Amino acid sequence: MVSAGALRVVRCGGSALCGARAVYLLCASGDFVKVYSVSTEETLRLMGGHADLVTGIRLNPQNHMQLYSSSLDGTIKLWDFMDGIPIKTFTVGCRLLALYTLASAEDSVFAVIPKKGERDTFQLVSVKLTKGAGQDLEAKELSVILDGVGASMKHIAFGREDAYVVSVKDVNLQVYFFKRKLLNRFSLSTVKTKGGDNRFSCVVCHPTEDCIATGHADGKIRLWRNFHHRKEYTYSTLHWHHDIVMDLTFSIEGTRLLSGGVEAVLVQWHNESSCQKDFLPRLGSPIEYISMSSDGALCCTLHADNRITIINSNLRFSRSIQGLIKSRDVKTGLVVDPRTKALVLNGEPGHLQFYSLQTDQQLFSLDIVQRQYIHQAGLRQSDLVKVAFSAQGTWLATVEESEEVTDPELQLKLWFFSEETQSFKLNTRINTPHDNHITDMCFRDMGELGDDSLILVTTGRDCVFKVWVMVEDTDPEAQPSVSWTCDFVGSYHNYQATNCCFSEDGSLLAVSFEETVTVWDSLTWDLKCTFCHPPGNIRNICFGRLTCSKYLIGATDYGFLCCWNLLTCALEWSAYLNIVVLQPDPLSEHIAAVSWLSKESSLFVFKPNEPRPIYIQRNLCKEKILLAAFVPRDEPEVISSEKYLWLRKSQLFFLTDTQELMTLSTKSLEERLTPSSKQLAVEESLPVTPLSLLLGKHRHQQAQEDIELGKPVVHNKQEQASPAVKELLHTPAHVLPSASFLCTIFINSLLISKEKKGAEEVADEIEMESEKAEDDSDEEYVTAMEQEDTSHMELLGEMTCKLSKSQEKELRKIRKTDYSWISAF
């Protein structure tokens, strides 16, 4: 458990969209459930509340406006997904690996859970959902249906009219009939003949007939019939896929069967015949899940590259929703695009993906290698390995190299951002910029005030670093253009150059050569000083910023974090930490360091001028953190705790070895993900109409006039102090409980609690009691104020009656009467 106000590790993107079968355009993604729009492809709603991965989502058979979701955190949640609010949370108490709902079971759902006392053994159980008035309920009543089932949700399917359930695992198939309480088991041969592999990979049941379709590891599809009898069953075989069948689904009417696999081709089978089939090829990446919409008009495929493809019923491509592509190896690191503040990293082979953190979708993909990638093991192909942006994002530098270890083919490319096309255009291609692998590169960050200040530095295993500058084309007949060329080559004792970075003002360049860090003047390229910390090669280096610009930070692969003072050329302090990630914040003095020790990732945030970290978080996540990046915020965040002020201007994102993109947040889940039911009131986020603009301007002007005239600003206490009323007015009617249940809560919320009177209130009361009469001048003043206040009402055709002097005295007596006794009712 995390204490209130503490930092929370949040999966913010990159989570596999195929964590569970998509239900229409509802999709499980990490700890959340996403709702997508078919027409605009945007994320309409993000429903969060689970503390671990969501493993299953199913529509409520009794109400198709509601959704069940299961998670590894041991809970089942019931959602109103149209408004994005949780209705019920059922605590089961064990890890839930898959979820199923049946129309015939009104108060139960089915789930796959681990079997107690046995490893890698799972059970299908029926979970009875407890009925109650509260939102958080326990559901501990479990009934075992099947033993020895598979952990994947594709390994279990329910048959026609929910009469039976089918489970597949390895080469075994089980069919359990609910009414007869009969279990039939069928097995295939385990012997692989002629390249065949009979292991089951998925199963689905025909919606109107007693027919079971199973996919297998060798690409075959079997259609099982007459499985009510153990010995008289039959099956037919369909075969097109050359590798494992990843998923199967029947159309709503059952006349078509859809299959998908590693070929990235959706196959549609007609009438259970191998001769009648249609194809939708070139879908980009292996198909892992297939789902059909409830009306049968759309089909949805989820792919291995974290993409959703929406397909029409006539097998025509409709739309695509691309999340963060999971590359085989993120060699480029996490880089931030200064123009869009998007994360830039490896995408498809040879491509650079620009990923939006706000929408969890890919903005666009830039083809860097510009060669056809062949998906075949053993081929040596070129891939993107390094990326760097200039300060304003006008220039992009990329390095691509072949997979050869000894003699790689290298290319350095410089791209210029075109305002016309709003994309990058190739400006310069440099073949073999180094004689060996390029280890690092960086631009001089000086705001690009002039072309003379913009330079690029690359380091390589050929024991040199090179400085690249822009030169103008000297051909008078050609159009004015610039290109890049090498201006300086530096080395140090024939050591391999491993890392490079510029100081904040661009005057110094630090280049690490194995165990030594060298500092160079960027104007004359003179070597100024060297720092050495053996044993161990330098793994990461960075300069301090702002008030800490006189420091240089380095991390070695032997577990030392060192801070050198550039003014004294001496070691300021050092710490024994196995730092794998060293990332400075571009907007502050803070530096984030991530260590990996004893299978645990820990985060340390510090300023170079202080050896003591300002923030430490052990066991940051279960996976190993490989990369990190600070992304500047659009507006500084309001943070109350001084401990987390380092997150005020920038947000820290990090990528794990499982390619999960995570971040740190000081906000609670309720603050980060405000349900749409709480956004139904008029807010700034809603579309602005001309009437709302006119009313808002008028109210603002009226408030300013009241303040200038010295009028007191009246606040409605009940409006501020009655959250029950707000929830009642803003919650959709179809999810509200009965009026009789809400009546007591509503009445109590309107009552004013008895409070102790302040000294000013008591003094005012004593002064009122001492007054026996009022002067005529006071009377005239009150009358004048009344006329001024009621002038607006008179314009609307309403007149307020004036109180006489005796009536005002009676009114004062009524005001002094204590009515607090009514609060008991």
Side-chain angles (χ1 to χ4, degrees):
M1 297 297 291
V2 181
S3 60
L7 282 183
R8 294 166 172 82
V9 179
V10 182
R11 287 182 175 89
C12 58
S15 299
L17 297 175
C18 43
R21 287 181 190 263
V23 181
Y24 196 20
L25 278 178
L26 297 168
C27 189
S29 177
D31 302 349
F32 306 99
V33 178
K34 294 182 179 180
V35 183
Y36 289 103
S37 169
V38 177
S39 57
T40 63
E41 306 172 16
E42 64 179 343
T43 305
L44 296 179
R45 200 159 290 108
L46 188 66
M47 300 186 296
H50 287 292
D52 209 332
L53 289 174
V54 176
T55 55
I57 52 173
R58 294 284 174 173
L59 289 176
N60 184 0
Q62 279 70 42
N63 186 347
H64 282 190
M65 308 297 286
Q66 296 177 352
L67 178 80
Y68 284 106
S69 66
S70 63
S71 170
L72 294 179
D73 63 3
T75 63
I76 297 173
K77 288 183 178 291
L78 177 64
W79 303 86
D80 172 14
F81 64 85
M82 297 300 294
D83 295 312
I85 59 174
I87 302 173
K88 298 282 186 181
T89 299
F90 303 94
T91 302
V92 182
C94 56
R95 290 163 57 89
L96 304 174
L97 304 173
L99 181 69
Y100 309 90
T101 56
L102 301 182
S104 58
E106 296 185 5
D107 58 347
S108 298
V109 296
F110 294 84
V112 175
I113 64 172
K115 188 174 183 179
K116 292 183 179 180
E118 298 185 24
R119 294 186 60 182
D120 299 329
T121 305
F122 307 97
Q123 297 175 316
L124 176 67
V125 298
S126 172
V127 183
K128 186 173 183 180
L129 302 180
T130 309
K131 294 184 178 180
Q135 188 174 5
D136 296 324
L137 304 171
E138 289 192 353
K140 301 297 178 93
E141 187 175 340
L142 308 179
S143 302
V144 178
I145 306 298
L146 283 176
D147 262 328
V149 301
S152 172
M153 63 180 308
K154 294 187 288 188
H155 293 167
I156 293 176
F158 288 83
R160 177 181 58 89
E161 298 178 356
D162 302 333
Y164 52 88
V165 59
V166 184
S167 168
V168 295
K169 186 179 181 182
D170 296 331
V171 293
N172 301 312
L173 182 146
Q174 300 182 85
V175 183
Y176 178 76
F177 301 90
F178 289 104
K179 292 184 179 180
R180 300 161 55 190
K181 294 184 178 181
L182 173 67
L183 177 63
N184 287 345
R185 291 189 175 93
F186 309 95
S187 296
L188 296 176
S189 173
T190 58
V191 179
K192 299 180 180 180
T193 57
K194 297 181 180 180
D197 191 346
N198 291 330
R199 287 177 301 159
F200 290 95
S201 58
C202 54
V203 62
V204 67
C205 294
H206 197 284
T208 59
E209 301 176 6
D210 288 334
C211 175
I212 300 172
T214 59
H216 299 264
D218 58 1
K220 293 179 182 179
I221 300 172
R222 287 182 170 88
L223 299 175
W224 302 71
R225 294 185 181 276
N226 203 27
F227 45 81
H228 299 81
H229 308 281
R230 293 186 178 182
K231 296 183 178 181
E232 298 177 4
Y233 70 92
T234 60
Y235 65 77
S236 58
T237 303
L238 307 175
H239 197 184
W240 178 87
H241 298 277
H242 79 277
D243 208 328
I244 183 172
V245 180
M246 303 291 286
D247 201 11
L248 295 167
T249 190
F250 278 103
S251 61
I252 299 302
E253 66 281 0
T255 57
R256 296 172 293 130
L257 175 66
L258 300 175
S259 64
V262 298
E263 304 87 359
V265 177
L266 183 65
V267 184
Q268 181 174 262
W269 308 83
H270 296 274
N271 301 322
E272 303 178 11
S273 171
S274 295
C275 299
Q276 299 182 14
K277 53 183 176 292
D278 300 320
F279 304 95
L280 180 59
R282 294 183 293 276
L283 293 178
S285 65
I287 299 172
E288 293 195 346
Y289 294 85
I290 307 173
S291 181
M292 188 72 66
S293 64
S294 56
D295 58 358
L298 295 174
C299 171
C300 175
T301 58
L302 293 91
H303 300 261
D305 64 350
N306 215 20
R307 184 175 72 256
I308 301 175
T309 301
I310 302 171
I311 302 166
N312 293 325
S313 58
N314 58 358
L315 218 63
R316 292 294 181 267
F317 174 86
S318 175
R319 293 184 181 274
S320 177
I321 301 172
Q322 178 67 70
L324 180 66
I325 295 178
K326 294 191 174 183
S327 177
R328 296 178 303 167
D329 187 10
V330 185
K331 301 175 182 178
T332 61
L334 290 183
V335 185
V336 180
D337 179 14
R339 304 179 66 90
T340 61
K341 294 182 181 179
L343 277 185
V344 181
L345 65 159
N346 290 101
E348 298 178 17
H351 288 67
L352 198 62
Q353 63 170 322
F354 290 70
Y355 169 76
S356 172
L357 295 164
Q358 288 74 28
T359 61
D360 187 22
Q361 291 186 26
Q362 186 185 107
L363 294 180
F364 65 96
S365 179
L366 183 63
D367 188 358
I368 302 296
V369 176
Q370 298 178 348
R371 296 180 187 175
Q372 182 67 33
Y373 187 85
I374 302 174
H375 294 271
Q376 182 174 340
L379 291 180
R380 300 296 183 181
Q381 305 182 74
S382 296
D383 200 5
L384 182 63
V385 294
K386 298 294 177 185
V387 168
F389 282 94
S390 59
Q392 304 300 322
T394 307
W395 287 93
L396 166 67
T398 62
V399 175
E400 58 191 71
E401 64 181 34
S402 64
E403 298 176 349
E404 296 289 344
V405 178
T406 56
D407 188 19
E409 294 181 7
L410 299 177
Q411 276 196 352
L412 172 63
K413 292 181 179 179
L414 280 303
W415 308 73
F416 180 76
F417 186 81
S418 172
E419 296 289 346
E420 297 179 358
T421 61
Q422 289 294 300
S423 183
F424 286 94
K425 287 187 175 180
L426 182 61
N427 175 270
T428 304
R429 179 189 288 110
I430 303 171
N431 293 319
T432 318
H434 285 259
D435 294 333
N436 207 332
H437 293 275
I438 293 179
T439 56
D440 200 6
M441 68 177 177
C442 63
F443 278 96
R444 182 163 65 178
D445 192 357
M446 296 182 64
E448 299 180 16
L449 299 178
D451 292 341
D452 295 337
S453 67
L454 186 60
I455 60 176
L456 175 70
V457 173
T458 59
T459 59
R461 293 183 186 174
D462 55 356
C463 304
V464 299
F465 72 90
K466 293 186 178 182
V467 180
W468 307 86
V469 297
M470 284 191 295
V471 293
E472 294 185 1
D473 192 352
T474 57
D475 188 356
E477 297 181 358
Q479 294 182 352
S481 62
V482 296
S483 58
W484 291 75
T485 185
C486 183
D487 182 63
F488 178 79
V489 178
S491 63
Y492 183 78
H493 293 296
N494 205 30
Y495 293 150
Q496 287 187 357
T498 53
N499 298 277
C500 63
C501 66
F502 279 98
S503 60
E504 186 177 13
D505 61 357
S507 62
L508 297 176
L509 169 69
V511 181
S512 62
F513 292 88
E514 298 183 8
E515 298 179 351
T516 307
V517 180
T518 59
V519 181
W520 306 72
D521 188 330
S522 64
L523 294 178
T524 62
W525 300 117
D526 293 334
L527 179 61
K528 291 297 184 181
C529 62
T530 60
F531 302 106
C532 188
H533 195 287
N537 295 329
I538 301 297
R539 180 182 288 170
N540 296 296
I541 55 173
C542 68
F543 280 95
R545 292 179 178 271
L546 302 176
T547 60
C548 300
S549 59
K550 65 179 181 179
Y551 298 103
L552 177 64
I553 311 298
T556 70
D557 54 9
Y558 268 60
F560 284 97
L561 180 65
C562 308
C563 177
W564 293 284
N565 191 320
L566 296 172
L567 300 181
T568 62
C569 294
L571 181 66
E572 191 80 6
W573 54 264
S574 65
Y576 186 69
L577 291 170
N578 184 30
I579 300 299
V580 294
V581 176
L582 189 66
Q583 186 65 39
D585 181 7
L587 300 181
S588 70
E589 300 93 341
H590 301 103
I591 298 177
V594 179
S595 69
W596 175 254
L597 187 64
S598 300
K599 297 182 180 181
E600 178 181 301
S601 292
S602 300
L603 173 66
F604 301 87
V605 180
F606 63 93
K607 292 183 179 181
N609 60 351
E610 300 176 4
R612 186 183 299 273
I614 62 174
Y615 179 77
I616 300 176
Q617 182 162 337
R618 306 281 185 182
N619 195 15
L620 191 62
C621 64
K622 299 177 183 178
E623 300 86 7
K624 183 179 180 180
I625 297 175
L626 300 180
L627 303 167
F630 275 102
V631 179
R633 300 183 188 273
D634 294 331
E635 294 182 1
E637 186 170 318
V638 178
I639 297 178
S640 58
S641 175
E642 295 184 1
K643 190 177 181 181
Y644 310 128
L645 286 179
W646 59 277
L647 285 172
R648 182 173 177 268
K649 295 182 179 180
S650 301
Q651 190 172 1
L652 179 63
F653 293 85
F654 48 89
L655 193 71
T656 66
D657 55 356
T658 58
Q659 298 197 13
E660 291 278 354
L661 186 64
M662 299 184 178
T663 187
L664 294 172
S665 176
T666 57
K667 295 181 179 180
S668 64
L669 185 64
E670 291 74 16
E671 293 173 319
R672 287 187 289 104
L673 302 170
T674 304
S676 60
S677 63
K678 296 183 181 180
Q679 299 175 357
L680 296 179
V682 178
E683 295 179 351
E684 295 178 357
S685 59
L686 294 180
V688 180
T689 62
L691 180 61
S692 66
L693 285 173
L694 183 62
L695 290 175
K697 184 177 181 180
H698 171 72
R699 290 170 181 168
H700 179 72
Q701 292 177 349
Q702 186 66 34
Q704 292 293 334
E705 293 174 1
D706 292 345
I707 294 174
E708 293 174 0
L709 294 174
K711 295 182 181 180
V713 181
V714 179
H715 297 280
N716 190 343
K717 183 176 181 182
Q718 284 301 113
E719 184 180 346
Q720 294 179 352
S722 182
V725 177
K726 289 184 179 181
E727 289 296 322
L728 178 63
L729 296 177
H730 296 163
T731 304
H734 62 277
V735 297
L736 281 174
S738 62
S740 60
F741 178 79
L742 293 173
C743 183
T744 306
I745 302 175
F746 178 71
I747 294 298
N748 289 335
S749 67
L750 297 177
L751 297 175
I752 303 174
S753 61
K754 186 176 181 180
E755 300 175 351
K756 293 183 179 180
K757 298 176 181 178
E760 295 180 359
E761 295 179 3
V762 175
D764 293 340
E765 193 168 300
I766 294 174
E767 185 178 352
M768 288 293 292
E769 290 178 354
S770 63
E771 292 180 356
K772 301 296 181 183
E774 295 183 350
D775 298 334
D776 294 339
S777 60
D778 294 337
E779 252 183 306
E780 292 174 0
Y781 177 76
V782 172
T783 305
M785 290 297 295
E786 286 177 350
Q787 291 176 355
E788 182 180 350
D789 293 339
T790 58
S791 60
H792 300 290
M793 300 296 292
E794 292 174 2
L795 291 176
L796 295 175
E798 298 181 9
M799 288 293 295
T800 57
C801 58
K802 301 177 182 178
L803 298 177
S804 64
K805 197 170 184 179
S806 60
Q807 289 174 331
E808 289 179 356
K809 289 182 180 180
E810 291 294 326
L811 184 59
R812 290 196 189 98
K813 292 180 182 179
I814 295 174
R815 287 173 179 166
K816 290 185 288 184
T817 306
D818 185 11
Y819 293 99
S820 60
W821 57 272
I822 201 172
S823 63
F825 299 91

